[in-house]
Amino acid sequence: MTDQKNNTILIIDFGSQVTQLIARRVREAGVYCEIHPFNKVTGESLAAFNPRAIILSGGPASVHEADTPKAPDEVFTMDVPVLGICYGQQTMVAQLGGDVQPADHREFGRAMVDVSDDCVLFDGAWAKGSREQVWMSHGDRVDSLPEGFRVVAVSDGAPFAAIADDARKFYGVQFHPEVVHTPHGAQLIANFVRHVAGCSGDWTMAHFKDQAVADVRAQVGGGKVILGLSGGVDSSVVAVLLHEAIGDQLTCVFVDTGLMRMNEADEVVGLFRDHYNIPLIHKDAGDLFLGKLDGVSDPEQKRKIIGATFIDVFEEEAKKVGGAEFLGQGTLYPDVIESVSFHGGPSVTIKSHHNVGGLPERMNMKLVEPLRTLFKDEVRELGRELGLPERFVGRHPFPGPGLAIRIPGVLSRDKVAVLQKADAIYLEEIRNAGLYDAIWQAFAVLLPVQTVGVMGDARTYDNVCALRAVTSTDGMTADFFHFDQEFIGRVATRIINEVRGINRVVYDITSKPPGTIEWE
Ligand code: XMP
C-alpha cells in the first residue's frame, strides 16, 4: 500500500460545471485527488500540498478578460506534470508564452478530432491517424504554442485540440475528457495520472476504510460519539464505519418522525441494533411531529418545523447518553468543495434542503466526518466493503422531511398511512421487475384532490395518487423514467384495489427542470 500523501493529484478549479467529473475519473483510476479553487491556491499551499501532478480545470473565463484567473506560476516551476483542460489549457499556454485568440468558429457539444501524432495520453485508446469523438465547449482557442510543445490532435475549430510537451510533462486538451460524451476520455485521464504522473493506482475502498478507521480512532481516542441515524446510505455507512473503529463508544440516535416509508423504522432498528449490535436509541416521535405539523400546508414551513423538531428531539435524546464530546456526520465531498463563483450575488432558494443545518453549532460538539472526502457512489462502495446489505447500500435517496413533502397540503396520520401503502406497492413492483437500480428515485405522492370513481356498483369519491420515477446522476437534473405501459397499468390497478382512500392513479412525466423531483 502506497502512502496516499505522495500520490495525490491536485485539481485546480477554474469554475467549470464539470470539475467534479475530473475528480471522479481520477479516483476511478485508483488515485486520490482533491479539488481546490484557483483563488485559494498559492505557491506556499502548493508546496505544502506536494501534489504528484496538477490538473487545471475548464472554466467560464476568457484569457482576454481583465483579471482573468491564472494558475500560480509555481504550478509550472515545481517540476510536476500538468494537464490543462479547456480553459486550463488556454491559461497554461498563455502563461507559458503562447497565444490564445477568440475563435470565429466556436465549438459546443460533440466534435471530432484527428489524432495527428502519438502521445502517452492516448495509450490504449487513440492511435495516430484515427478520428475520435470528443465533447467541446469553448469560445477561445489556442493559436500558437509555447516553446517545447507539439500538436497531437486537431479539430475543425481547434487546430491545437491536444498538445504535449513531453520533456516538462505538460499536456493540454481543448476538449473535455472528463465527460462521458468523450468516449475514451476516462482512459486519457487515467493515462495522465498513472503513466505520466506515475501514481500507483491502488487507492481503493479497502485502503480508504483502513485509513478512515485509523483516523477516527486517532481523533476520538476514548471519547463517546453520537450519530443521528436516518436509514439513508450516508448515515448508515458512517454508523458501521464508526462502530468498526470505536465499538460501543458510538451510540446512534434514530429519530422516527412517523414520516418514513412503510416498515422503514423496523428495518433500521432490526439491522443496526439487532444485527450489528450498535447501541441505538429509537425515539418514536411520530405524534410530536404530526402535532407540530397540524394545519400546516406550506412546503417551506413544513421543512422548517420538521428540521427544528428533529433538532430538539435529537438533542434531548443525545443528552441522555451523557458525556459525549463528538457528533458523527455523513458529510460528503460535494458539500465540502468550495465552489468558484464568478457571477456572485445570492442564488435563489428553490427549496431549503438542509433541514438540520444548525445541529452541530447548537450541540457544541466536535464533528467526526469520515466521509468528507468521498463522492456518493464511493460511499456506496465503502458500504459494500463494510458488509452493509445491498438493500441499504443501493437505496434511493429519501428526503429528510420524508412523506410530509409527498402529501401536498395539510397532513394527517390517515393520509400518511394511505401513502405508505401505495408507495410500498409501487416500490415492491419496481423491485420485482428488476427496475430499482435503473431508477434514481421512485415514490408515490398523495394528492389533495378527490375524484369520482366507480368500484363494484358503488360510487367512490377518493384521492388521486401520483407516481413519480426519475433517472438522474446527481439529483440536479432529471428525466422521467419510461416504464412500459403494461407495468405502470399493473401498479395502478394494485394500488386502487388494495389501498382504501385512492381511486385514481396518474404518472408524472415532468423532467427537472422545469419540475423538481419532489412535488413540494
Ligand atoms: P428536488 O425536489 O429539489 O430534489 O428536485 C432533489 C433531491 O433532493 C431531495 N430533497 C430533499 N432532501 N431535504 C432533503 O434531505 C429536503 O427538504 C429535500 N427536498 C428534496 C429529493 O428527494 C431529491 O433526491
Side-chain angles (χ1 to χ4, degrees), residues 170-181:
F170 292 167
Y171 297 87
V173 289
Q174 183 56 69
F175 54 88
H176 288 269
E178 67 274 32
V179 305
V180 289
H181 312 290

Side-chain angles (χ1 to χ4, degrees), residues 299-300 303 350-356 396-402 405-406 440-441 443 468 470 472 474-478 512 515-520:
E300 281 302 283
R303 283 189 169 82
I350 306 287
K351 299 178 188 183
S352 50
H353 286 195
H354 291 284
N355 333 84
V356 291
H396 290 171
F398 187 66
I405 56 167
R406 293 178 179 172
W440 165 267
Q441 227 171 333
F443 54 89
R468 181 99 166 117
V470 295
S472 176
D474 53 11
M476 304 295 287
T477 59
K512 175 182 179 177
T516 51
I517 294 176
E518 302 289 346
W519 275 45
E520 286 200 328

Side-chain angles (χ1 to χ4, degrees), residues 68-81:
T68 187
K70 284 198 174 74
D73 290 336
E74 288 84 351
V75 165
F76 307 109
T77 56
M78 67 190 295
D79 199 23
V80 297

Side-chain angles (χ1 to χ4, degrees), residues 363-381:
M363 307 263 312
N364 194 19
M365 292 164 92
K366 290 178 214 147
L367 292 181
V368 183
E369 301 176 295
L371 311 182
R372 265 181 88 80
T373 57
L374 299 187
F375 289 101
K376 188 85 179 184
D377 46 346
E378 293 172 328
V379 173
R380 293 206 159 96
E381 224 179 299

